[in-house]
Amino acid sequence: MRGVVFNGERELEIASFDDPVPGPGEVVLEMKASGMCGSDLRFYRAPAGEALAAFGLSGDGARIIAGHEPCGVVAAAGPDVTRFREGDRVMVFHYDGCGFCDLCRTGWTQMCERGAAIFGATAHGGHADYLKVPARTLVPLPDELSFTAGAAISCGTGTAFGALVRLDLTARDTIAVFGQGPVGQSAVQLAAAMGAEVIAVDIAAERVAKATEFGAAHAIDSSASDPVEAIRELTGGKGVTRALDCSGAPAARAAAVRAAARWGRVAFVGEGGEVTLNVSPEVIRKQLTILGSYTFSIAGQADCARFVARHGVEVDKLFTDRWQLADAERAYREFDKQTGGKAVFEI
């Protein structure tokens, strides 16, 4: 079978691998969609052997098939697999752990006390014709959803949903979403479907212009105006009850905190970077709650898929580019140039 391997320094190859055979408790998926995530670009751009270290992971990533947003159909099931059978449409929770620690047993495998495998980083991922994974990592894909929607839910859209759940967002809230990449766009869609009033913020005019298409009631270009002042004007001087930073940018994180109302809640999901806060006036005296939200649990991924299906959230609108696996080299060259958008392999 074919599989995309990152060699470092913006070089990749479509390599040949043996077709996988499922062992006990394992399944082999015929891949249908595999999303390209911004974090994949770190592996694509990094010097050979250094990408995993940048993520705080061990190993050199050599000959690992890329892609951590897999979605497909069960092609074969190994011994002892009873929950899934051939032909089932599924997503993959892209982490696997020991299966026995408290974190694994509660569905937070990425936080496994013994260390998690990450498909597409430390174990083979979805940029391939087939993918072998433990059956316990599978999540049913509702019939109403496309395979590409399933790929988005497997990472960025699921991450946005997980953060909104952590924020306890309701229709009574006004939420500011900082950063309008795929995670931020997903957050706008999902928050609007939850009934909240959504304010989208970004430094790129084209993303700001597109935010209302995803359900934002208001959109702010933070390169042209102070987003905190604009948010206070929109909220009668009070600020938003909820704020979510999807950018990881220090200025956006600080603005999210400053834009939050008294007793507000703020979540950070954008990886990397730092933030400096004036703690007394901005956090303590506002009785603010600040959360870090790390992707989602396996149950949360299933919840997200059901929510998207029930509420008709148009996740497929996120995708600006669709590629075939044979075009992987060109696909990543183009993806590397973009300042926004979402790309996917349809396999």
Side-chain angles (χ1 to χ4, degrees):
M1 70 171 191
R2 300 170 300 168
V4 175
V5 175
F6 295 142
N7 292 327
E9 301 286 359
R10 292 179 165 85
E11 296 289 335
L12 64 77
E13 62 177 306
I14 303 173
S16 180
F17 293 84
D18 292 336
D19 289 347
V21 177
E26 296 178 330
V27 296
V28 170
L29 305 184
E30 180 183 352
M31 295 306 305
K32 296 297 184 182
S34 183
M36 299 163 65
C37 178
S39 59
D40 290 325
L41 291 176
R42 299 190 189 187
F43 292 92
Y44 175 66
R45 296 166 176 164
E50 294 185 15
L52 288 178
F55 276 85
L57 303 171
S58 59
D60 60 10
R63 310 304 294 172
I64 293 293
I65 297 172
H68 63 272
E69 300 181 0
C71 194
V73 171
V74 175
D80 304 326
V81 175
T82 57
R83 172 67 178 82
F84 297 94
R85 54 188 176 181
E86 291 182 20
D88 284 351
R89 305 170 77 247
V90 294
M91 302 174 287
V92 176
F93 185 66
H94 64 274
Y95 309 99
D96 191 34
C98 71
F100 297 101
C101 70
D102 289 344
L103 291 161
C104 283
R105 287 163 66 88
T106 54
W108 293 94
T109 316
Q110 67 268 47
M111 301 172 72
C112 176
E113 293 172 2
R114 297 186 179 183
I118 304 174
F119 301 124
T122 62
H124 287 323
H127 289 0
D129 294 307
Y130 296 97
L131 172 63
K132 181 175 73 173
V133 294
R136 62 176 175 260
T137 65
L138 299 187
V139 179
L141 178 68
D143 290 339
E144 301 94 323
L145 301 184
S146 68
F147 289 110
T148 51
I153 290 166
S154 298
C155 187
T157 300
T159 294
F161 184 81
L164 297 177
V165 170
R166 293 284 309 280
L167 285 169
D168 196 23
L169 187 75
T170 73
R172 297 172 298 175
D173 290 308
T174 298
I175 182 171
V177 180
F178 290 80
Q180 290 300 298
V183 177
Q185 290 170 345
S186 294
V188 168
Q189 286 184 307
L190 294 164
M194 292 173 183
E197 181 181 1
V198 184
I199 302 171
V201 184
D202 202 278
I203 61 173
E206 63 272 19
R207 291 187 184 182
V208 174
K210 200 171 183 180
T212 54
E213 296 178 22
F214 289 100
H218 313 280
I220 297 170
D221 183 345
S222 56
S223 70
S225 61
D226 183 334
V228 177
E229 290 183 6
I231 287 168
R232 293 202 176 278
E233 184 174 345
L234 288 169
T235 57
K238 293 183 177 180
V240 289
T241 58
R242 302 288 186 267
L244 173 61
D245 174 61
C246 302
S247 71
R253 285 179 176 151
V257 171
R258 289 169 51 222
R262 292 179 175 89
W263 300 103
R265 295 169 70 90
V266 180
F268 294 159
V269 299
E271 291 273 12
E274 298 179 353
V275 63
T276 299
L277 302 174
N278 192 347
V279 174
S280 290
E282 293 175 359
V283 182
I284 295 174
R285 295 173 193 171
K286 287 169 65 177
Q287 301 277 18
L288 211 62
T289 299
I290 300 177
L291 305 167
S293 188
Y294 181 21
T295 58
F296 43 86
S297 68
I298 191 168
Q301 184 172 345
D303 288 344
C304 180
R306 287 190 292 265
F307 182 90
V308 169
R310 283 199 309 269
H311 292 268
V313 180
E314 297 181 276
V315 174
D316 283 293
K317 287 175 63 176
L318 297 169
F319 293 101
T320 54
D321 297 279
R322 297 168 185 261
W323 299 92
Q324 298 297 306
L325 203 61
D327 299 320
E329 189 172 355
R330 181 183 168 206
Y332 267 97
R333 273 203 314 270
E334 295 299 318
F335 188 43
D336 189 33
K337 297 175 186 176
Q338 291 183 353
T339 57
K342 175 73 175 168
V344 64
F345 289 114
E346 295 181 314
I347 303 167

